[in-house]
């Protein structure tokens, strides 16, 4: 039996926008001096070969700002379980959950790749070693770094056009694996689970019947799946569930030929022995 996951997901986007806008407001910091005299606010010239050394502290988050026309796509890390990731527009928020001696991060946006030598410490930072914000500038593109006011930054985040969300997801399988909400923005799927629930591994059911483990990261009680699929399989021990995309968008683009291209037909032929 399948059940709809759409009803409880409709109120999430605006609440998320308000939280991120508030974070942007705090990051700007009216009581702090400008980046020229404050080491907590760093401006870095982007180069494709740059490896950014970044030390963060548990209990603090760091804000990373890209070019205005750039947005976060994916994160590769040696240890993804040790940090939380949030993104809005050209802003990325990293918050360590536990100390880690060192690992590398690869941040992918729609335009560039960023490399980070990352470590997290479990103590409070000294005033001269904390980093609150890293803003990239791009000398080759001639883009100036503008210091927008706190109110303007928060207002732009709240009023920016948001992608249409698909909430037409259905669930089947073990009830203990059922998400309380499922939404996608055309790029990533967010599966929200009950507080303190043991989170499952997520696989994509491929056309050939095989299952492929997909990349994910966790934000509180939400598993963010880095790709979309017509059918996802959730596994935790011997428990199995499925999340099925029933959206009109998917039905519209699904070819009747058994392939991903409506102009290509699939046929099965016997091979002479």
């Amino acid at each position: 039996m399948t059940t709809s996951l759409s009803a409880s997901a409709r109120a999430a986007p605006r609440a998320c926008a308000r939280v991120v806008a508030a974070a942007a407001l705090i990051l700007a910091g009216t009581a702090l001096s400008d980046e020229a005299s404050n080491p907590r606010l760093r401006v870095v010239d982007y180069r494709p070969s740059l490896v950014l050394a970044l030390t963060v502290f548990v209990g603090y988050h760091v804000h990373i700002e890209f070019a205005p026309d750039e947005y976060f796509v994916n994160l590769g890390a040696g240890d993804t379980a040790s940090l939380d990731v949030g993104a809005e527009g050209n802003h990325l928020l990293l918050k360590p959950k536990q100390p880690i001696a060192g690992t590398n991060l690869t941040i992918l946006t729609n335009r560039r790749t960023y490399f980070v030598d990352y470590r997290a410490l479990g103590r409070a930072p000294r005033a001269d070693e904390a980093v609150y914000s890293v803003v990239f500038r791009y000398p080759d593109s001639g883009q100036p770094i503008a210091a927008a006011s706190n109110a303007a930054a928060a207002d732009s985040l709240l009023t920016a056009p948001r992608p249409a969300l698909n909430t037409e997801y259905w669930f089947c399988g073990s009830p203990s694996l059922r998400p309380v909400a499922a939404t996608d923005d055309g790029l990533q799927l967010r599966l929200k689970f009950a507080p303190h629930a043991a989170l499952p591994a997520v696989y994509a059911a491929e056309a050939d019947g095989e299952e492929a483990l997909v990349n994910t990261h966790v934000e509180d009680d939400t598993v963010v799946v880095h790709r979309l699929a017509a059918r996802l399989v959730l596994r935790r021990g011997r428990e199995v569930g499925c999340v099925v995309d029933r959206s009109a968008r998917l039905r519209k683009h699904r070819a009747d030929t058994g392939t991903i291209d409506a102009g290509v037909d699939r046929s099965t032929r016997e091979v002479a022995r």
Side-chain angles (χ1 to χ4, degrees):
M1 181 179 70
T2 60
T3 56
S4 174
L5 293 169
S6 62
S8 56
R10 305 189 189 279
R14 293 300 298 175
C16 179
R18 294 190 184 95
V19 170
V20 175
L25 193 62
I26 295 171
L27 286 166
T30 55
L32 301 179
S33 59
D34 61 30
E35 66 273 8
S37 60
N38 195 325
R40 290 171 288 193
L41 308 178
R42 296 172 57 184
V43 176
V44 178
D45 288 337
Y46 173 81
R47 302 189 310 276
S49 61
L50 173 70
V51 177
L52 175 69
L54 183 62
T55 298
V56 296
F57 298 85
V58 176
Y60 294 75
H61 74 266
V62 62
H63 160 253
I64 299 177
E65 182 176 342
F66 308 117
D69 58 347
E70 199 167 1
Y71 57 84
F72 171 77
V73 173
N74 205 348
L75 174 72
D79 183 4
T80 56
S82 65
L83 75 161
D84 284 329
V85 180
E88 180 74 17
N90 63 324
H91 300 271
L92 179 67
L93 303 175
L94 301 178
K95 182 178 180 181
K97 296 192 291 186
Q98 59 191 35
I100 183 170
T103 189
N104 66 307
L105 306 181
T106 301
I107 302 171
L108 303 180
T109 73
N110 62 315
R111 295 193 60 190
R112 299 178 178 89
T113 302
Y114 300 79
F115 303 102
V116 180
D117 185 11
Y118 170 92
R119 66 172 181 156
L121 303 181
R123 59 173 175 83
R126 298 189 302 269
D128 62 342
E129 63 181 356
V131 176
Y132 292 171
S133 180
V134 177
V135 176
F136 284 99
R137 63 184 176 187
Y138 308 89
D140 294 338
S141 66
Q143 294 177 344
I145 299 299
S149 67
N150 296 340
D155 183 66
S156 65
L157 290 175
L158 286 173
T159 59
R162 303 188 60 81
L165 295 180
N166 170 32
T167 60
E168 295 300 320
Y169 282 91
W170 292 67
F171 177 80
C172 61
S174 175
S176 64
L177 295 179
R178 185 182 187 276
V180 297
T183 60
D184 80 68
D185 60 3
L187 295 173
Q188 297 180 332
L189 170 65
R190 303 177 68 87
L191 299 174
K192 181 176 178 59
F193 291 86
H196 311 300
L199 301 178
V202 182
Y203 299 81
E206 305 292 0
D208 59 2
E210 296 296 319
E211 295 179 7
L213 185 65
V214 297
N215 291 328
T216 63
H217 71 266
V218 177
E219 299 177 7
D220 296 325
D221 299 317
T222 299
V223 176
V224 181
V225 183
H226 296 176
R227 57 165 288 192
L228 302 182
R231 183 184 182 93
L232 293 173
V233 179
L234 310 183
R235 295 187 178 274
R236 187 180 64 216
R238 295 185 177 182
E239 298 177 305
V240 181
C242 65
V243 175
V244 181
D245 185 350
R246 293 281 189 87
S247 65
R249 173 196 63 195
L250 190 65
R251 292 194 298 271
K252 178 180 178 182
H253 294 289
R254 184 181 292 124
D256 297 326
T257 58
T259 69
I260 62 173
D261 190 335
V264 178
D265 291 308
R266 172 178 293 178
S267 61
T268 303
R269 299 180 181 178
E270 292 185 2
V271 177
R273 297 181 182 275

